[in-house]
Amino acid sequence: MRKRWKLILVVITLAGAGALLIPALQGGATYYLTIGEALVKEEAQPGQRFRIAGNVTPGSIVDQPTDFRLSFLMEDEGGQVPVVYHGARPDNLQDGSGVVVEGRFHGETFHAETLMVQCASKYEAAEGAEHPAEIPKGRDR
């Protein structure tokens, strides 16, 4: 009889832990929209909060460091949207960078509360840089 109560207690504990863990994992999933998807959703229900991914349009970055204001155009195959962000400029933000912004539209402009620059997935040597010298074979270190 005692083993049965222990088994019931273990099952209840595991079920409770699962009930808490599943919603936490679902809420932590990262999802973002394309610019086109966000524009369609904004038109249908204005004022929603969005997470949008795209690239910084070359030549569009305007940085006002004294006001902690940064603006740029963000683009993807679904369109282009002006973005305004109040905060420090990320060090790796540059023309063509992949970015994910989170915030709301105010008219035609997207006001980002969060700005994340995606890391480059491919690193290349600078043009004209030499490859590291090979270690001579046969030498012990």
Side-chain angles (χ1 to χ4, degrees), residues 27-98:
T30 302
Y31 179 74
Y32 48 82
L33 302 172
T34 65
I35 294 171
E37 291 170 335
L39 290 171
V40 168
K41 286 190 173 197
E42 173 64 16
E43 189 175 311
Q45 294 179 334
Q48 293 184 66
R49 184 176 175 83
F50 296 107
R51 182 177 289 159
I52 307 172
N55 295 313
V56 176
T57 303
S60 68
I61 299 173
V62 177
D63 190 5
Q64 298 171 335
T66 55
D67 297 333
F68 289 102
R69 185 177 197 273
L70 179 66
S71 61
F72 57 91
L73 289 175
M74 187 170 86
E75 64 186 4
D76 67 9
E77 57 279 341
Q80 191 176 60
V81 66
V83 176
V84 173
Y85 172 70
H86 291 275
R89 178 181 177 160
D91 290 336
N92 53 350
L93 181 72
Q94 56 189 357
D95 288 348
S97 294

Side-chain angles (χ1 to χ4, degrees), residues 1-2 6 13 21 25 39 41 52 63 66 69 78 82 111 117 125 137:
M1 190 71 165
R2 203 169 246 214
K6 284 184 182 180
T13 302
L21 187 60
L25 292 175
L39 290 171
K41 286 190 173 197
I52 307 172
D63 190 5
T66 55
R69 185 177 197 273
H111 288 257
V117 180
K137 295 181 182 176

Side-chain angles (χ1 to χ4, degrees), residues 124-131:
E124 297 177 2
E127 192 173 316
E130 294 182 25
H131 294 288

